[in-house]
Amino acid sequence: MGPTQKPNVCRQLSRRALGFFSRDAGVVQRTNLGILRVLVCQESTKFKNVWTTHSKSPIAYERGRIYFDNYRCCVSSVASEPRKLYEMPKCSKSEKIEDALLWECPVGEILPNPSDYKSSLIALTAHNWLFRISATTGKVLEKIYLASYCKFRYLSWDTPQEVIAVKSAQNKCSALARQAGIQQPILLYLAVFHVLPFSLIGILEISKKIFGNVTDATLSHGILIVMYSSGLVRLYSFQAIIEQFMQQKLDLGCACRWGGTAGTVGEAPFGIPCNIKITDSPPLLFEVSSLENAFQIGGHPWHYIITPNKKKQKGVFHICALKDNSLNENLLTVTASGRVVKKKFNLLDDDPEQETFKIVDYEDELDLLSVVAVTQIDAEGKAHLDFHCNEYGTLLKSIPLEESWDVTYSHEVYFDRDLVLHIEQKPSRVFSCYVYQMVCDPGEEETTNRSCEKE
């Protein structure tokens, strides 16, 4: 077969204007993204560095928003040049936001307040408050005081956009306690909530008395994942743990008496008691050994991804069926975000003496594989972002990044529709952000017929 005929953007826009896709919003969206894909990949399209900034605090990016100063300042990257959406009042170090998640309105649910239909930032502060903040104005919409008996530090989705897990810092024994042979039985706590409106599921303690010499634990899709220094990973049903070991159901905003103290659940200074205490080994669902506890699970039917538990296997990923642990030889490559790339890896093989691949990810809306390749020229590295057809591996577009790339620094690169954003962390906690926007030059015409562009 010859190359697929390239779609005519003008024809697609005309059909959209005449209402050819009006009966199905999904068709309209796919058509729009197909048009954008063509525009992104055509030769006349350039990505221009429109904005560069530097900061002494971490810089984060999430769906068109750039966050500075520990999420206190929010800048929109959607316009032709970034513009400030809001800046929250300055606060003390003890009140700063330590971690955050972007919540977006669910489809088909009736919510109690009009503001609930707009995106929110779920933020965890250094002094153990959980806030829901308007993503457009920075106004605090809801707040919960967690607890005083531990230091909560990390936020993650248990079920994306539905259930969050708030993880505490790990309890460490002092040197004197270790010398005296005293062990700290509780490793960490996990606080679990339904979002919007916030409702408490419970706070769970991870105890070494129950799980042994555990080094970390987390929640994902209703599964408690417990990790060990040997590389062993064990999975337990969180719902089964709730049903068997929850001491008392607690509701936010309700009066409660716990351990001789009375207060309101979720309000300071009472907070939320730890109401899920495992007293016996829960039923084990599954266990596997993986290098550095690298483990992901998902797909249909269920598969899991591990790295064989040997140092020389670092960077190698095995995709196995959950039902029988069989290795799937057809799926060879996994991106940093956990998506499986359905293509032969040798189509994207690098040459370490000339250039190396540093970041590989998948842009699901445009069905493009993005690859950051770095070439070392003397002491300076130069990078370019390449877009490949996810189906065939064909190189469709290469975007040079203007700034130098030091391979010893930490880097994040985001490709989001018509935006490329590069965040770099230099020594001494200096952060830089480079924003590139798509620019179409009408004076140039694309003459190359790409074999992988689809309607």
Side-chain angles (χ1 to χ4, degrees), residues 192-334:
V192 189
F193 299 86
H194 287 292
V195 294
L196 211 69
F198 278 127
S199 63
L200 175 68
I201 295 175
I203 294 186
L204 165 71
E205 65 177 22
I206 303 297
S207 171
K208 293 183 179 180
K209 290 182 178 180
I210 301 300
F211 294 104
N213 195 25
V214 57
T215 56
D216 201 4
T218 189
L219 275 176
S220 179
H221 294 85
I223 300 295
L224 175 64
I225 303 173
V226 178
M227 291 157 271
Y228 298 82
S229 58
S230 64
L232 185 66
V233 179
R234 286 177 171 163
L235 275 59
Y236 303 88
S237 166
F238 183 53
Q239 183 59 39
I241 289 172
I242 291 172
E243 293 172 359
Q244 186 175 356
F245 299 108
M246 179 180 282
Q247 296 180 334
Q248 181 181 331
K249 179 76 171 69
L250 301 176
D251 295 311
L252 296 174
C254 293
C256 174
R257 178 170 291 277
W258 193 278
T261 304
T264 302
V265 178
E267 293 185 6
F270 186 76
I272 305 172
C274 177
N275 64 332
I276 306 173
K277 295 189 178 184
I278 301 175
T279 55
D280 196 6
S281 297
L284 178 66
L285 294 180
F286 178 77
E287 69 176 15
V288 69
S289 183
S290 181
L291 185 66
E292 298 176 352
N293 302 120
F295 176 85
Q296 292 191 27
I297 188 169
H300 181 76
W302 287 94
H303 281 72
Y304 62 91
I305 303 170
I306 60 167
T307 295
N309 200 7
K310 296 179 181 178
K311 288 185 178 179
K312 65 180 181 180
Q313 295 288 310
K314 188 170 185 177
V316 175
F317 299 93
H318 285 182
I319 303 172
C320 305
L322 187 63
K323 66 177 181 179
D324 58 8
N325 300 321
S326 60
L327 180 66
N328 192 324
E329 301 286 354
N330 297 320
L331 305 178
L332 300 178
T333 309
V334 182

Side-chain angles (χ1 to χ4, degrees), residues 73 100 111 121 125 142 149 220 235 251 268 295 367 377 380 404 442:
C73 179
L111 303 174
L121 194 70
T125 70
E142 288 184 86
Y149 51 81
S220 179
L235 275 59
D251 295 311
F295 176 85
D367 194 27
I377 305 173
E380 186 179 82
S404 61

Side-chain angles (χ1 to χ4, degrees), residues 146-167:
L146 295 173
S148 59
Y149 51 81
C150 68
K151 173 72 173 70
F152 285 99
R153 185 164 288 172
Y154 311 102
L155 282 176
S156 63
W157 290 110
D158 172 27
T159 303
Q161 301 296 312
E162 293 181 16
V163 179
I164 61 167
V166 191
K167 185 162 75 171

Side-chain angles (χ1 to χ4, degrees), residues 14 25 33-34 38 59 127 143 212 225 250 253 260 337 351 399 414 442:
S14 297
L33 293 174
V38 172
I59 301 172
H127 61 330
K143 60 181 182 178
I225 303 173
L250 301 176
S337 63
D351 183 348
I399 302 169
Y414 299 91

Side-chain angles (χ1 to χ4, degrees), residues 13-60:
L13 289 172
S14 297
R15 286 169 59 84
R16 186 181 68 180
L18 293 171
F20 275 74
F21 315 118
S22 60
R23 293 183 180 180
D24 189 339
V27 173
V28 176
Q29 175 73 347
R30 287 193 295 273
T31 300
N32 291 343
L33 293 174
I35 293 170
L36 180 59
R37 187 180 196 268
V38 172
L39 293 175
V40 165
C41 294
Q42 67 184 9
E43 281 188 18
S44 60
T45 298
K46 311 296 181 186
F47 279 79
K48 180 182 178 182
N49 181 209
V50 296
W51 196 57
T52 298
T53 189
H54 308 281
S55 172
K56 291 186 177 180
S57 62
I59 301 172

Side-chain angles (χ1 to χ4, degrees), residues 118-177:
K118 297 181 180 179
S119 298
S120 302
L121 194 70
I122 299 174
L124 174 65
T125 70
H127 61 330
N128 275 6
W129 281 87
L130 191 64
F131 289 163
R132 184 167 72 88
I133 300 168
S134 168
T136 53
T137 66
K139 180 183 177 182
V140 176
L141 304 174
E142 288 184 86
K143 60 181 182 178
I144 300 169
Y145 179 63
L146 295 173
S148 59
Y149 51 81
C150 68
K151 173 72 173 70
F152 285 99
R153 185 164 288 172
Y154 311 102
L155 282 176
S156 63
W157 290 110
D158 172 27
T159 303
Q161 301 296 312
E162 293 181 16
V163 179
I164 61 167
V166 191
K167 185 162 75 171
S168 75
Q170 294 189 8
N171 289 322
K172 303 291 185 182
C173 281
S174 66
L176 288 175

